[in-house]
Amino acid sequence: MTRFVDVKNMVRWVSTTGPERIIRGMIEYVEADFARWNSFDKSPRVASHTPFGVIELMPTSDGETYAFKYVNGHPSNPARGFQTVTAFGVLADVHNGYPTFLAEMTLLTALRTAATSGFFAKYLARPDSRTLALIGAGSQAEFQALGMRAALGIEQVRLWDTDPAAMEKVARNLTPLGFDVVIAASAADAVDGADVITTCTADKALATVLTSDLVAPGVHLNAIGGDCPGKTELDPAILERGDVFIEFEAQTRIEGEIQQMSPAFPVTEFWRVVTGEHPGRTSPEQITIFDSVGFAIEDFSALRYLRDAVDGTEFFEEIDLVASPEDPKDLFGLVGQLSPVG
Ligand SMILES: NC(=O)c1ccc[n+]([C@@H]2O[C@H](COP(=O)([O-])OP(=O)(O)OC[C@H]3O[C@@H](n4cnc5c(N)ncnc54)[C@H](O)[C@@H]3O)[C@@H](O)[C@H]2O)c1
């Protein structure tokens, strides 16, 4: 039998445990997996692009457990009543290839993306960071704020989105959680005095939601919305001014903000910072940039975290996903004994 966490159980688990506590725990799992980076199979995700958006498969394995996530990105979806990003994922046992764990990952992706943002910020942001500018107030926004609070103790969130209703939604969701939420009048107003800037907008375009003059020395920039060929958020001049940290170079060169730069543009794979090979932030004035696209190992960590967290609870069910005849060679025997129809 395969353990299965559906949307109903995911919602119950997250509501009972609390999203910030989950993100904090997930940061530890993502960090542990980045620290053993070289034990994973790695490849850029497999993307199928259409004029409507992208559908992607994200596989990896550590030699014991295999994982993949199915995820889409359709920036025009909200206008049609659908979400921009939805996902589900699987863990499997490499010894016999059987799937052991299946989960919804629309919510889990928001939690893992927040955990990854927090994890990078823990190493790269100034430790005294208390103010977050959040540009993009869609599905990921509240999770991103919680990720930065879990990692850094962020207190104030300065919001900007071209959709005022989305900003009001985020203010409504974050204020009761103890954040001091400021609805800004523009991107420039949002980043004024911010220690950390998160861009999480969705547009299938080479957009510029942030220009270089808006990025002050010392800021940590967490850019999560530029994650597909032809879909970026930052003025390339910002990348020239800062030090760019990425997940997996072969994927980020195709999908990240750095798709706008030459193939030789210098970047650092973040596992090198985690293992101490690279110093990360070296001065309070340095601009650090996480050019985030989302990598398979983070989903592996998130699925692993969820699997361990729900073990022994009522937040999963067992489903019959693999046909298992008593004689492993007699698959036909499962259906051959039925009386013929007609
Ligand atoms: N890097 C990762 O790991 C990762 C993971 C999940 C999602 N994402 C990406 O993050 C982005 C946000 O995802 P979501 O699910 O919150 O999307 P969403 O569609 O729910 O929200 C996006 C928001 O951006 C706003 N927006 C668009 N253009 C803007 C602009 N120029 N200035 C200000 N606001 C603008 C929209 O009004 C909307 O409220 C998407 O691009 C998605 O693909 C990345």
Side-chain angles (χ1 to χ4, degrees), residues 10-93:
M10 181 66 76
V11 167
R12 288 172 61 222
W13 173 63
V14 178
S15 317
T16 310
T17 315
E20 193 167 354
R21 193 166 144 213
I22 291 171
I23 290 168
R24 199 169 288 122
M26 219 178 257
I27 288 175
E28 287 176 21
Y29 271 53
V30 178
E31 187 164 14
D33 288 337
F34 269 60
R36 59 187 186 110
W37 185 258
N38 289 324
S39 59
F40 285 92
D41 278 350
K42 292 175 285 294
S43 56
R45 58 186 157 196
V46 182
S48 172
H49 295 276
T50 65
F52 316 107
V54 64
I55 295 178
E56 297 164 324
L57 288 178
M58 304 173 67
T60 189
S61 163
D62 68 352
E64 283 291 318
T65 304
Y66 173 92
F68 79 84
K69 179 169 84 170
Y70 165 104
V71 63
N72 76 304
H74 283 64
S76 55
N77 262 0
R80 302 184 295 150
F82 304 118
Q83 290 181 92
T84 297
V85 175
T86 68
F88 70 90
V90 171
L91 293 175
D93 183 345

Side-chain angles (χ1 to χ4, degrees), residues 136-142 159 163-176 183:
S139 294
Q140 310 301 318
E142 295 88 340
L159 275 177
D163 175 5
M167 289 196 282
E168 274 156 32
K169 178 257 334 181
V170 172
R172 203 168 52 238
N173 285 335
L174 287 186
T175 305
I183 293 187

Side-chain angles (χ1 to χ4, degrees), residues 143-212:
F143 297 92
Q144 285 294 314
L146 287 173
M148 288 304 173
R149 185 162 77 179
L152 300 170
I154 286 295
E155 290 162 0
Q156 186 179 74
V157 176
R158 301 179 61 82
L159 275 177
W160 170 244
D161 195 294
T162 44
D163 175 5
M167 289 196 282
E168 274 156 32
K169 178 257 334 181
V170 172
R172 203 168 52 238
N173 285 335
L174 287 186
T175 305
L177 301 180
F179 287 96
D180 168 19
V181 180
V182 176
I183 293 187
S186 63
D189 185 21
V191 302
D192 190 16
D195 305 303
V196 177
I197 303 172
T198 289
T199 53
C200 51
T201 67
D203 194 357
K204 207 167 183 345
L206 295 174
T208 304
V209 304
L210 205 58
T211 49
S212 181

Side-chain angles (χ1 to χ4, degrees), residues 51-323:
F52 316 107
V54 64
I55 295 178
E56 297 164 324
L57 288 178
M58 304 173 67
T60 189
S61 163
D62 68 352
E64 283 291 318
T65 304
Y66 173 92
F68 79 84
K69 179 169 84 170
Y70 165 104
V71 63
N72 76 304
H74 283 64
S76 55
N77 262 0
R80 302 184 295 150
F82 304 118
Q83 290 181 92
T84 297
V85 175
T86 68
F88 70 90
V90 171
L91 293 175
D93 183 345
V94 302
H95 299 96
N96 62 2
Y98 278 24
T100 55
F101 193 77
L102 169 66
E104 90 77 45
M105 287 191 78
T106 304
L107 277 160
L108 197 65
T109 292
L111 292 161
R112 84 79 152 110
T113 306
T116 306
S117 293
F119 162 51
F120 274 63
K122 195 173 94 167
Y123 285 82
L124 295 177
R126 294 190 333 271
D128 60 349
S129 297
R130 293 292 172 271
T131 300
L132 167 70
L134 194 52
I135 302 183
S139 294
Q140 310 301 318
E142 295 88 340
F143 297 92
Q144 285 294 314
L146 287 173
M148 288 304 173
R149 185 162 77 179
L152 300 170
I154 286 295
E155 290 162 0
Q156 186 179 74
V157 176
R158 301 179 61 82
L159 275 177
W160 170 244
D161 195 294
T162 44
D163 175 5
M167 289 196 282
E168 274 156 32
K169 178 257 334 181
V170 172
R172 203 168 52 238
N173 285 335
L174 287 186
T175 305
L177 301 180
F179 287 96
D180 168 19
V181 180
V182 176
I183 293 187
S186 63
D189 185 21
V191 302
D192 190 16
D195 305 303
V196 177
I197 303 172
T198 289
T199 53
C200 51
T201 67
D203 194 357
K204 207 167 183 345
L206 295 174
T208 304
V209 304
L210 205 58
T211 49
S212 181
D213 56 305
L214 300 183
V215 181
V219 156
H220 173 62
L221 181 48
N222 175 54
I224 76 158
D227 58 358
C228 250
K231 177 167 174 275
T232 58
E233 296 180 304
L234 303 182
D235 176 353
I238 299 174
L239 305 174
E240 299 279 8
R241 278 178 61 213
D243 289 295
V244 178
F245 297 84
I246 59 169
E247 294 142 314
F248 178 54
E249 184 166 355
Q251 183 177 314
T252 309
R253 290 271 177 209
I254 302 167
E255 301 179 351
E257 295 299 328
I258 57 167
Q259 68 185 271
Q260 307 179 83
M261 314 306 275
S262 88
F265 180 78
V267 293
T268 303
E269 282 190 337
F270 193 62
W271 66 274
R272 293 185 188 281
V273 178
V274 180
T275 57
E277 254 183 53
H278 187 284
R281 175 174 286 275
T282 49
S283 80
E285 296 78 36
Q286 183 187 14
I287 295 170
T288 52
I289 301 163
F290 172 26
D291 181 2
S292 161
V293 293
F295 187 54
I297 292 176
E298 296 144 26
D299 298 306
F300 178 101
S301 314
L303 282 165
R304 202 164 67 74
Y305 182 79
L306 175 66
R307 179 199 61 194
D308 293 355
V310 300
D311 188 34
T313 72
E314 43 161 15
F315 298 127
F316 70 88
E317 56 194 300
E318 296 205 312
I319 56 168
D320 200 5
L321 196 60
V322 179

